[in-house]
Amino acid sequence: METTPSAFALTGVAKHFGDVRAVDGLSVTAAAGGAIALLGPNGAGKSTTVSLLLGLARATSGTVRVLGGTPEEAVARGRVGAMLQHGELMPELTIGELVGFVRGLYPRPLPLPEILDLADLGPLVKRRAKGLSGGQAQRVRFALAVAGAPDLLVLDEPTAAMDVESRRRFWDGMRAYAAGGRTVLFATHYLEEADQNADRVLVIARGRLAADGTPAEIKATAGGRLVTFRLGDQPAAGLDALPGVTSVEIRDGVARLRTDDPALTTAALYRGTTLEVHDLEVSGGHLEDAFLALTRES
Amino acid sequence: MLASYVRLEILRMLRNRRYLIIGIGFPLVIYLLNANVFGKETTGDGVSLSAYVMVSMAAYGAISGALTNTAGPWSQERASGWLPQLQVTPLRGWMIIVGKMAGALTLVLPSMLLVCLAGALTQGVSLSAGQWAALVGALWAGAVPFVALGMIAGSLLRPDAVQPVTLITMLGLVIVGGLWFPVTTMGATMRSIAEASPAYSYADMGWSVIAGHGVPLSDALTTAGWAAALGLLAVLAYRRATVRA
């Protein structure tokens, strides 16, 4: 028996547009099931990664596998659904006609009432696509994405243009969909959305994977505060044993200590070690800082 | 899958006011105006001008419709993001181009039938059932090259450029081909240019049918040749427009 293929697997994937390395050596595998956030600042390579997974773009190097095949195969077999950032709808058609059409393209679609319910579209069924608000159009795009009951649902910045209430309902719909054993990958630059709606968070920055874990793990590795100082050639042994320290990273002679209690760590650094501490800095403390720390130019 | 895509394309165009007015209404109005002015005269073949102009306007409506039903919408869809929306469904690339061309070709029929109906009912154009069938059949099948030409324009041009280019192309084809001013009114040089143009070969199939000569093989082959050449170019342009970077 073959093992169940992963929802998707990127191996050393790079995508260059001229000199711009939109994706620059990305390797990540996702087992089937659950909600995965692709979190990163604007320009981090999220949309390019989404395009690669959907077969809308081809990798410059590396391999992209989706549900055990190429992205094109997975899309052609109706196993992938996607909500793109800028997909306009045909203005002359009603919401019901659009959803019905896309639904009909898939081998085993969701029942129409279930789609309308997930996307909260009931009252809009007879409306033409022309003249919908931005948030309403987003909900229609979500309906088109889930219509075919895809095993992998890919959402690129799905809540842009939605108001607070729409967002709440949207995430309810997304979680209901993912609860059925399907995989949902959503790209976002909102930390809060990733934290609240994902089982796993992939943080990307400058086309690379900066962190990968549950929201709790991401906060633990990147959270807390950062104590940095110039270590030079001195030995790093014992730094991780200092009080409060959760992780130690040495790069180019600079030590970066993540700590729950910078005061305690700093005090111990001076009093409990014989190190010469130069250029000491303390930073961070919020979730936003954690995110910035993970995605910052290093 | 393909059938439902064609149905969708037809449905959306039938709701498009621009298509209804320019694609269906305009050829009919021009025909009625022309027929009422020239209707009683006859051509050299003894065919009434109202019948001759009926064919011209049916052909004009088909060419105009074939171009405008494809070029503008296709260019618009590429720019607006509807295309990537389709590309992430199981609908394949070949189905998109075949579906769009089949839909556009179907939408050529209403204006053609209306002009013929107006000819028969209001201008006293009288043809045998076989002639009517040959006329509509030839003009319908013969519209393929113009549908392909519209797809080429839609693949190569951005939405802001596609409208004027399509309009100028359409006027050029129709005027040079003698659909608005018969080739018999042209000078010798102009006439030989006209007779070598695609719209002339196309409309001439219809003019021959109403003169009782049937569809000339040379016209049919020429139109088929244009269909093959422009169809091939349409596929190449489509591939270029939808290439995955």
Side-chain angles (χ1 to χ4, degrees):
Chain A
M1 279 294 285
E2 244 182 69
T3 52
T4 318
S6 53
F8 61 87
L10 306 177
T11 314
V13 171
K15 176 65 184 174
H16 300 170
F17 297 100
D19 290 341
V20 180
R21 299 174 171 216
V23 172
D24 191 15
L26 192 58
S27 294
V28 59
T29 300
I36 302 166
L38 190 61
L39 177 67
N42 288 326
K46 300 189 297 291
S47 285
T48 306
T49 305
V50 164
S51 291
L52 290 166
L53 284 169
L54 297 173
L56 291 175
R58 293 216 168 90
T60 310
S61 59
T63 57
V64 181
R65 303 287 286 173
V66 175
L67 299 160
T70 66
E72 288 86 349
E73 285 164 356
V75 169
R77 278 188 271 134
R79 301 193 61 195
V80 179
M83 182 176 169
L84 305 168
Q85 256 190 74
H86 303 293
E88 211 166 270
L89 306 163
M90 270 196 183
E92 300 94 348
L93 299 176
T94 68
I95 305 317
E97 286 161 352
L98 278 165
V99 174
F101 163 67
V102 171
R103 192 182 165 271
L105 299 175
Y106 287 83
R108 286 173 300 279
L110 290 181
L112 193 60
E114 194 180 332
I115 301 169
L116 299 176
D117 193 44
L118 273 173
D120 194 21
L121 281 178
L124 294 179
V125 162
K126 292 209 161 63
R127 281 271 297 277
R128 298 246 175 118
K130 189 178 179 173
L132 291 183
S133 74
Q136 288 170 332
Q138 286 287 81
R139 272 148 57 197
V140 175
R141 283 198 278 275
F142 180 61
L144 300 183
V146 298
D151 298 314
L152 174 63
L153 177 64
V154 180
L155 312 166
D156 194 2
E157 309 256 351
T159 60
M162 283 187 196
D163 59 32
V164 176
E165 177 60 15
S166 302
R167 277 175 198 219
R168 194 184 59 74
R169 292 195 196 191
F170 170 81
W171 289 117
D172 287 348
M174 190 285 285
R175 279 197 300 266
Y177 189 81
R182 306 180 181 105
T183 312
V184 180
L185 175 76
F186 65 92
T188 179
H189 58 261
Y190 296 115
L191 200 68
E192 212 185 317
E193 292 194 332
D195 186 22
Q196 292 171 359
N197 301 295
D199 305 310
R200 178 179 176 190
V201 182
L202 306 171
V203 181
I204 67 167
R206 295 175 309 285
R208 295 178 187 209
L209 195 62
D212 175 2
T214 65
E217 285 166 353
I218 296 290
K219 279 190 276 189
T221 40
R225 299 209 185 181
L226 199 62
V227 172
T228 60
F229 64 95
R230 182 157 295 285
L231 185 64
D233 298 331
Q234 307 174 84
L239 286 179
D240 53 354
L242 293 174
V245 170
T246 54
S247 77
V248 176
E249 190 192 327
I250 315 280
R251 196 181 298 169
D252 301 329
V254 175
R256 298 153 68 86
L257 313 181
R258 294 220 163 270
T259 169
D260 299 330
D261 189 339
L264 204 60
T265 304
T266 312
L269 192 58
Y270 281 105
R271 293 179 198 144
T273 72
T274 55
L275 296 171
E276 283 187 37
V277 178
H278 299 291
D279 303 336
L280 182 84
E281 276 179 38
V282 178
S283 59
H286 301 285
L287 217 53
E288 285 298 330
D289 296 321
F291 176 51
L292 286 174
L294 282 170
T295 57
R296 175 167 44 208
E297 192 85 44
S298 50
Chain B
M1 234 186 271
L2 182 58
S4 70
Y5 181 53
V6 174
R7 205 168 58 232
L8 191 83
E9 284 282 311
I10 292 172
L11 181 64
R12 58 85 74 110
M13 286 304 278
L14 288 176
R15 293 209 184 125
N16 186 311
R17 202 170 296 152
R18 194 184 151 76
Y19 164 72
L20 294 177
I21 294 170
I22 297 183
I24 296 186
F26 207 54
L28 180 66
V29 170
I30 305 240
Y31 170 55
L32 291 175
L33 286 175
N34 272 314
N36 285 318
V37 174
F38 303 110
K40 299 197 172 51
E41 299 168 41
T42 55
T43 66
D45 283 350
V47 171
S48 76
L49 266 183
S50 60
Y52 184 89
V53 174
M54 178 187 81
V55 171
S56 303
M57 288 303 112
Y60 151 68
I63 292 174
S64 163
L67 287 172
T68 52
N69 296 346
T70 46
W74 172 230
S75 175
Q76 185 62 39
E77 284 161 29
R78 289 195 302 114
S80 75
W82 174 248
L83 172 67
Q85 191 94 255
L86 288 179
Q87 285 176 323
V88 297
T89 71
L91 200 67
R92 298 296 78 213
W94 69 266
M95 294 181 189
I96 297 177
I97 181 171
V98 170
K100 289 201 79 69
M101 291 182 66
L105 196 62
T106 308
L107 289 164
V108 153
L109 260 186
S111 86
M112 194 185 290
L113 292 177
L114 270 181
V115 167
C116 289
L117 204 63
L121 296 182
T122 73
Q123 308 301 323
V125 176
S126 170
L127 300 176
S128 71
Q131 276 178 308
W132 281 118
L135 174 65
V136 170
L139 289 187
W140 193 27
V144 170
F146 305 106
V147 169
L149 187 60
M151 284 301 290
I152 295 171
S155 287
L156 298 181
L157 299 171
R158 291 206 314 268
D160 52 350
V162 80
Q163 301 257 3
V165 170
T166 308
L167 185 67
I168 290 166
T169 307
M170 189 273 288
L171 289 175
L173 282 168
V174 163
I175 291 170
V176 171
L179 271 56
W180 275 2
F181 313 103
V183 290
T184 47
T185 65
M186 296 176 180
T189 315
M190 195 56 219
R191 182 167 180 171
S192 52
I193 294 174
E195 289 179 353
S197 77
Y200 176 85
S201 310
Y202 170 59
D204 191 50
M205 295 192 287
W207 292 323
S208 296
V209 166
I210 59 167
H213 306 317
V215 175
L217 186 62
S218 60
D219 287 342
L221 287 178
T222 308
T223 304
W226 281 111
L230 291 172
L232 181 67
L233 283 176
V235 170
L236 293 177
Y238 173 84
R239 289 177 68 149
R240 187 175 164 241
T242 58
V243 71
R244 290 159 191 224

